[in-house]
Amino acid sequence: GAGVSQSPSNKVTEKGKDVELRCDPISGHTALYWYRQSLGQGLEFLIYFQGNSAPDKSGLPSDRFSAERTGGSVSTLTIQRTQQEDSAVYLCASSLGVRETQYFGPGTRLLVL
Amino acid sequence: AQSVTQPDIHITVSEGASLELRCNYSYGATPYLFWYVQSPGQGLQLLLKYFSGDTLVQGIKGFEAEFKRSQSSFNLRKPSVHWSDAAEYFCAVVSSGGSYIPTFGRGTSLIVHP
């Protein structure tokens, strides 16, 4: 079956613009995670969705970051008023449930000029 | 708070040589432990995981890892490295109770010389 997909694969934007990053999880996976990977760094947790529960937003670095998950499937990560320090690879992962193996998408490489 | 340390930023080995990548964690109880590999331009792929039971776990691509509770370690090993193993390797920890948010190490970059 299809894996986790993310779009766009690359995004170049100007400082101050808003961007939307999309994640299509594996069908049937109830858990969905967003991470940020900066150059030479590990994965930084951003937000977590599990079923119909309220998302865990504890990793979002500022109120410019938000995410939603519609119908328990597709998720969109939105970054408002982008800053140069937002440049990174944004990874999405899905799993059957908490503490289960996560399946990662290829990521969206964001460059803020 | 749980933490994961991968002390080696880069490791260089010759093809055919053995490999050990180190991972140490800090957590009060036995966590769930994972090793992921990220090849250039690819997403992360699970190599192996440890939840409980036998402390030596086998994974894909000939990798294995051993959980050592006394050393709070979960080191990844492979007896003979192939050039295609060149990649970034990440160790991750999830608590077995409480927070379900995984903590990742900063990664170890493996370079394989022919």
Side-chain angles (χ1 to χ4, degrees), chain B residues 50-61:
Chain B
Y50 173 79
F51 283 6
S52 65
D54 192 348
T55 57
L56 183 63
V57 292
Q58 303 296 321
I60 62 171
K61 305 184 180 186

Side-chain angles (χ1 to χ4, degrees), chain B residues 33-77:
Chain B
L33 298 156
F34 303 80
W35 273 100
Y36 288 88
V37 61
Q38 185 177 34
S39 299
Q42 309 266 328
L44 277 77
Q45 179 184 22
L46 180 73
L47 284 175
L48 47 78
K49 61 186 178 184
Y50 173 79
F51 283 6
S52 65
D54 192 348
T55 57
L56 183 63
V57 292
Q58 303 296 321
I60 62 171
K61 305 184 180 186
F63 285 92
E64 66 177 27
E66 186 172 12
F67 168 60
K68 292 186 176 180
R69 185 191 306 274
S70 61
Q71 298 177 19
S72 296
S73 69
F74 189 56
N75 294 348
L76 182 71
R77 302 193 295 246

Side-chain angles (χ1 to χ4, degrees), chain A residues 62-66 78-83 85-86:
Chain A
S62 77
D63 58 8
R64 296 186 296 105
F65 288 73
S66 63
T78 301
I79 309 174
Q80 296 179 308
R81 304 181 303 282
T82 52
Q83 304 294 312
E85 59 262 30
D86 299 333

Side-chain angles (χ1 to χ4, degrees), chain A residues 25-85:
Chain A
I26 293 173
S27 177
H29 280 193
T30 60
L32 188 148
Y33 296 80
W34 282 99
Y35 298 91
R36 178 167 68 177
Q37 184 179 24
S38 302
L39 190 63
Q41 303 291 317
L43 275 67
E44 175 190 5
F45 165 77
L46 296 177
I47 188 169
Y48 165 74
F49 296 89
Q50 170 59 41
N52 296 320
S53 302
D56 183 329
K57 305 178 182 180
S58 60
L60 294 178
S62 77
D63 58 8
R64 296 186 296 105
F65 288 73
S66 63
E68 63 178 19
R69 188 178 185 189
T70 54
S73 181
V74 172
S75 177
T76 302
L77 176 69
T78 301
I79 309 174
Q80 296 179 308
R81 304 181 303 282
T82 52
Q83 304 294 312
Q84 289 181 332
E85 59 262 30

Side-chain angles (χ1 to χ4, degrees), chain A residues 82-94:
Chain A
T82 52
Q83 304 294 312
Q84 289 181 332
E85 59 262 30
D86 299 333
S87 296
V89 176
Y90 289 82
L91 294 168
C92 173
S94 71

